[in-house]
DNA sequence: CCTAGCACTCTATTTTCTCGATTGCTAAAT
DNA sequence: ATTTAGCAATCGAGAAAATAGAGTGCTAGG
């Protein structure tokens, strides 16, 4: 258990270090508190023994440890209001009705990345609430046609389908069958329904059923897949903990690996903070993330920055966005 | 005019410098040629006077100047065949009929970026050959509906449209009118046709014509816009000319500016090489680019790397891709 | 016209030195 | 019992000096 003074010191060190990225000495702290630098040093020693502070070398000032940051975000952090300009910028995005939800997310996280100089990730999936509304096809040439799928929530997806050697009539028959049988099905149940209900039926009516079934199966599995987008990646370069190119390389290669990035998915509904080793990304960063869910899409939004991160601000911004999109 | 020996020396220096990124000394060259280092030095001096070589400091080896690279690519470069593995990798992409052309381009340039460690850009526009095939709408709720546009070449685009206060009947009437009047119109003529032929007509039949006209106009202009994609951006970090973070920042910010990137468009049908100051991107890089055009899409593909670039390989790869997609 | 030889130049690296910030400890003050 | 003043000790960051090595330009002889 920390004394009030120890908490004050820890808080000041975290805030100061976030601001200036230089180890914080006792002198700076004692100016803020009503005590001498020696007293502060004694307290600092205790805080270090508790594992909340670290030194970069024997005679350096103190730097918060991961445990120190953890204590800070759990007990000391104060959430401030967003300022008017930030809210205004975000509102123009939220009010643009022409944008789809995923665009809204990407654009608002662009703004956040701009404001904060951190990097954002949007992991987006079509919500299970989406029900198939309509399948239509447009032949492009004798080998290829385009399948267009629309859900009741307004999601539109399309994909080329290879149908070499299948007559257009056969295709139309199949589409009619599928439409009749699975319109109204939630998209995550389509694959199963396709296999157990549609496959047997089209087998009876359609000659090239094997080929067509596979083509549609591909189209549907493809369409219900996850989407990952990284925003403001260059902001990584702005932080001094990434002034050496090899660290940049490392983090960039992780931000590029879309399939690994899917692991960032957050199940929890709160805004969660993963400091350093608490996240799988890199021990050098903090990841702050939350869930979102609307009737149309669901997924995770995450902000990534150095551990020396403006925690209050990021939490606030994520909270604001989550509330806005979930309406 | 260069002598044969001078050309040999220049060529060796370019090749060696591309390989090792270190200024090339006379000793290395004279081992390849049948002459002494002093002779090579004399020739090097002449080549430097001609502006083809440079020194990094008084007693350093030589580095090709931009003019030197230019001479190399114009006169000395030999094109080699692609190796089997590379061709194989690319073919799996070209043979995947499910992919749209823009996906094929992006994926094949991903492969090229992998092979070469350079960065690629795809600038993609719908080809003028695309004719409007069909417009359809799907209402999502009372305020918003989705407009889906399909061209005869199989391009599908969709966009949310705000229609607050307009009855669904009015909208359907408008869509029918537009469909009747402009199906078959090349996409780049749609805006004009919309203004001069459609606008007057819907004015007669539809109450909220102003609002609907504007919404459709937005949708169409939006849809015929250009698309820029940057592939393999991280490869920038692999080259020692970008070992300092500020140069990385500079080039990254340029690669992020999608609208500025549209200027990369190449009108010429050949594979063109822009070395250093010859391109607008950055004096530190070379841009190699070419045009492509199919009935579906058209645009530019470009490879960006340090001036110390494997010119032969990149030219070959671009040539191969261009032929494949236009084939 | 070519080449061997050599003094010279400049970089890159290592070493040494100095300055200043900050610490931990001790002993005195509160 | 807690706080503080004082002080030697530690270490990093940066400047200055020393060294080694690669490569050049020039000269003179082949």
């Amino acid at each position: 258990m920390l004394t009030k003074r120890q908490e004050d010191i820890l808080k000041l060190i975290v805030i100061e270090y976030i601001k200036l990225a230089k180890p914080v000495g006792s002198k700076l702290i004692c100016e803020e508190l009503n005590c001498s630098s020696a007293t502060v040093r004694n307290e600092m020693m205790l805080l270090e023994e508790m594992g909340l502070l670290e030194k970069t070398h024997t005679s350096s000032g103190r730097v918060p440890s991961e445990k120190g940051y953890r204590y800070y975000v759990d007990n000391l952090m104060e959430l401030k209001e967003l300022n008017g300009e930030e809210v205004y910028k975000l509102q123009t995005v939220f009010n643009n009705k022409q944008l789809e939800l995923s665009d809204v997310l990407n654009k608002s996280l662009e703004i956040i990345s701009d404001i904060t100089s951190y990097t954002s990730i949007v992991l987006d999936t079509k919500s299970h609430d989406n029900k198939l509304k309509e399948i239509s096809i447009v032949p492009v040439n004798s080998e290829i046609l385009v399948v267009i799928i629309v859900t009741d929530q307004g999601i539109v997806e399309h994909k080329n389908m290879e149908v070499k050697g299948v007559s257009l009539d056969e295709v139309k028959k199949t589409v009619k069958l599928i439409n009749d049988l699975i319109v109204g099905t939630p998209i995550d149940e389509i694959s199963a329904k396709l296999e157990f209900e549609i496959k047997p039926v089209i087998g009876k009516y359609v000659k090239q059923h094997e080929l067509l079934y596979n083509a549609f199966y591909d189209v549907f599995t493809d369409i219900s897949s996850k989407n990952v987008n990284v925003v403001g990646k260059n902001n990584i370069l702005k932080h001094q903990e990434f002034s050496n190119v090899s660290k940049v390389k490392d983090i960039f290669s992780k931000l590029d690996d879309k399939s690994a990035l899917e692991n960032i998915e957050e199940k929890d509904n709160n805004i969660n903070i993963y400091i350093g080793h608490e996240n799988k990304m890199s021990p050098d960063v903090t990841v702050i993330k939350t869930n979102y869910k609307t009737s149309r899409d669901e997924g995770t939004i995450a902000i990534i920055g150095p551990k020396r991160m403006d925690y209050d601000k990021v939490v606030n911004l994520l909270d604001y966005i989550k509330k806005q999109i979930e309406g």
Side-chain angles (χ1 to χ4, degrees), chain A:
Chain A
M1 191 52 200
L2 297 194
T3 65
K4 172 78 172 65
R5 188 167 66 191
Q6 286 169 339
E7 288 199 335
D8 286 346
I9 291 174
L10 177 58
K11 186 172 171 182
L12 280 168
I13 290 177
V14 170
I15 291 175
E16 199 58 32
Y17 186 64
I18 286 175
K19 213 190 300 170
L20 298 176
K22 280 183 194 130
V24 184
S26 54
K27 205 170 145 205
L28 197 101
I29 300 296
C30 77
E31 282 166 14
E32 303 277 331
L33 264 41
N34 279 336
C35 57
S36 75
S37 63
T39 311
V40 175
R41 278 202 294 283
N42 288 332
E43 296 284 29
M44 278 168 139
M45 245 185 323
L46 293 174
L47 287 166
E48 187 174 354
E49 274 167 27
M50 289 185 258
L52 297 166
L53 293 180
E54 282 167 357
K55 284 189 285 193
T56 60
H57 60 90
T58 340
S59 71
S60 78
R62 297 309 203 293
V63 164
S65 67
E66 284 184 11
K67 201 173 159 192
Y69 285 122
R70 171 54 54 202
Y71 193 95
Y72 173 78
V73 300
D74 286 344
N75 304 293
L76 309 174
M77 181 168 71
E78 297 164 24
L79 298 183
K80 293 162 288 193
E81 285 285 298
L82 296 184
N83 78 43
E85 196 192 333
E86 292 160 3
V87 171
Y88 175 78
K89 278 188 193 164
L90 288 169
Q91 280 302 333
T92 61
V93 176
F94 292 125
N95 292 332
N96 185 343
K97 291 286 197 283
Q98 279 192 23
L99 298 177
E100 296 177 5
L101 180 62
S102 59
D103 296 329
V104 170
L105 280 172
N106 285 327
K107 284 211 194 296
S108 51
L109 285 184
E110 258 169 45
I111 293 172
I112 290 192
S113 291
D114 264 10
I115 293 172
T116 60
S117 295
Y118 304 131
T119 302
S120 317
I121 296 178
V122 185
L123 179 70
D124 191 53
T125 321
K126 285 136 206 80
S127 153
H128 301 328
D129 294 354
N130 278 281
K131 297 190 178 61
L132 188 70
K133 180 152 193 169
E134 188 184 313
I135 303 176
S136 57
I137 53 163
V138 179
V140 178
N141 57 43
S142 63
E143 292 182 20
I144 292 166
L145 50 81
V146 181
V147 184
I148 304 172
I149 296 174
V150 187
T151 76
D152 61 344
Q153 301 297 328
I155 291 181
V156 180
E157 292 278 358
H158 66 100
K159 200 157 169 27
N160 284 1
M161 186 162 114
E162 193 178 3
V163 287
K164 206 172 179 175
V166 184
S167 78
L168 194 55
D169 260 6
E170 298 276 285
V171 177
K172 282 187 177 160
K173 218 185 279 178
T174 311
V175 171
K176 176 133 184 14
L177 275 170
I178 295 182
N179 258 328
D180 288 349
L181 285 165
I182 64 175
V183 160
T185 307
I187 50 163
D188 53 335
E189 295 169 20
I190 289 183
S191 292
K193 203 155 184 174
L194 207 61
E195 185 169 354
F196 299 113
E197 301 186 23
I198 312 286
K199 200 176 180 183
V201 180
I202 59 172
K204 288 186 201 159
Y205 298 97
V206 182
K207 272 189 218 150
Q208 304 268 0
H209 61 274
E210 192 73 29
L211 204 157
L212 276 177
Y213 170 77
N214 287 336
F216 273 105
Y217 190 86
D218 281 356
V219 170
F220 278 114
T221 48
D222 220 80
I223 273 169
S224 55
S225 65
K226 286 173 186 167
N227 212 310
V228 190
N229 192 27
V230 179
V231 179
K233 204 165 68 165
N234 293 358
N235 283 339
I236 297 284
L237 300 169
K238 290 189 182 156
H239 306 287
Q240 68 146 45
E241 23 278 278
F242 294 96
S243 57
N244 102 49
V245 175
S246 82
K247 289 218 169 184
V248 174
K249 260 191 204 166
D250 180 56
I251 192 88
F252 273 19
S253 73
K254 283 182 181 144
L255 289 173
D256 270 7
D257 184 349
K258 301 287 177 193
S259 62
L261 232 45
E262 290 184 3
N263 294 327
I264 211 167
E265 186 171 10
E266 174 69 56
K267 314 282 185 187
D268 192 296
N269 236 338
N270 296 311
I271 293 170
N272 288 319
I273 302 179
Y274 301 91
I275 301 163
H277 289 86
E278 296 171 6
N279 73 70
K280 287 164 199 156
M281 195 80 182
S282 149
D284 296 320
V285 303
T286 283
V287 179
I288 304 185
K289 52 187 177 171
T290 189
N291 224 342
Y292 68 88
K293 171 150 176 44
T294 72
S295 59
R296 191 187 194 283
D297 298 63
E298 62 189 41
T300 300
I301 45 182
I303 310 277
I304 295 171
K307 284 188 284 189
R308 189 181 67 72
M309 192 186 208
D310 192 341
Y311 290 92
D312 333 6
K313 180 140 228 163
V314 173
V315 171
N316 268 323
L317 284 165
L318 275 186
D319 184 58
Y320 183 76
I321 290 203
K322 181 179 167 69
K323 281 183 183 141
Q324 288 290 319
I325 58 173
E326 294 187 339

